[in-house]
Each structure stands twice: as C-alpha cells, then as structure tokens.
Amino acid sequence: MDKLARYREIIRQLIFNYAGHKPANGQIETEAVIDSERDHYEVLHVGWDGVRRVHASVVHIDIINGKVWIQYDGTSQPVAEALLEAGILREDIVLGFHPAELRQYTDFAVS
C-alpha cells in the first residue's frame, strides 16, 4: 500500500472513531463526512441543545500535496497525537489551524 492510500485509511478510521463519540447534552447527532476523491474528512455535530441549534465541525482534516492538514481540532484528544500514534509521520502533518508564520515553531510540518 502506498503512503497516500495508507494515510487515507488511517484518517478514515480516525474520523469514524471520533464520530463514535456522541455529545452528552442535547439531541445532537455526530456525522462522519468522508470525501476520499477530494481528500476532505470531517466530523460534525448536528442537532439541538435545548433551543440552540448545533451545527459545528469537531474535526476537519484534508490531504493536500501528500501532507495531512489538520484544519480544525475541537477535540479533547488531540488529532495530531492520534495521527502520530497511527503511523503518520510528524513531517507529513501540518497544523493548518495555526497561521503560516507560526507553524515554524511547532514540531510539525510548515506546509
């Protein structure tokens, strides 16, 4: 299996894992959104918490030019650490939620 196919499978499994955690409050469903053709992967919360409508991204990951970009991480278990544990190389993970000029100070790829 080539690196990109392996990364896709790791991310798919991770997304399903995060999507398996339902919020304790409200009538909120968790959805896994996987677009393997365009390499977009997301976990969404959709529903109601009392009178408040909930429609929010919990995790958003893209694969761009062979690198895994974490676009958003709203979890209590950091996505970057889960990706590392699953076998994705540190130099192939980009913390896209940080501004480009600050990424150089992380232990991860700049772009």
Side-chain angles (χ1 to χ4, degrees), residues 28-89:
I28 301 170
E29 296 301 318
T30 305
E31 298 180 2
V33 180
I34 296 176
D35 180 353
S36 298
E37 284 183 33
R38 293 171 193 82
D39 284 324
H40 300 295
Y41 307 86
E42 198 164 358
V43 176
L44 295 173
H45 283 171
V46 179
W48 292 91
D49 186 7
V51 297
R52 184 177 69 89
R53 178 69 175 157
V54 175
H55 186 271
S57 179
V58 179
V59 174
H60 180 179
I61 301 171
D62 293 326
I63 298 176
I64 303 170
N65 297 324
K67 302 242 176 154
V68 177
W69 284 68
I70 303 171
Q71 305 290 15
Y72 183 75
D73 181 356
T75 69
S76 59
Q77 304 164 345
V79 172
E81 296 302 319
L83 292 170
L84 288 170
E85 288 174 15
I88 294 182
L89 300 174

Side-chain angles (χ1 to χ4, degrees), residues 1-13 86:
M1 179 184 298
D2 74 333
K3 182 172 90 167
L4 190 55
R6 190 168 55 85
Y7 282 6
R8 284 181 178 127
E9 184 55 31
I10 289 170
I11 294 167
R12 235 174 64 61
Q13 290 175 6

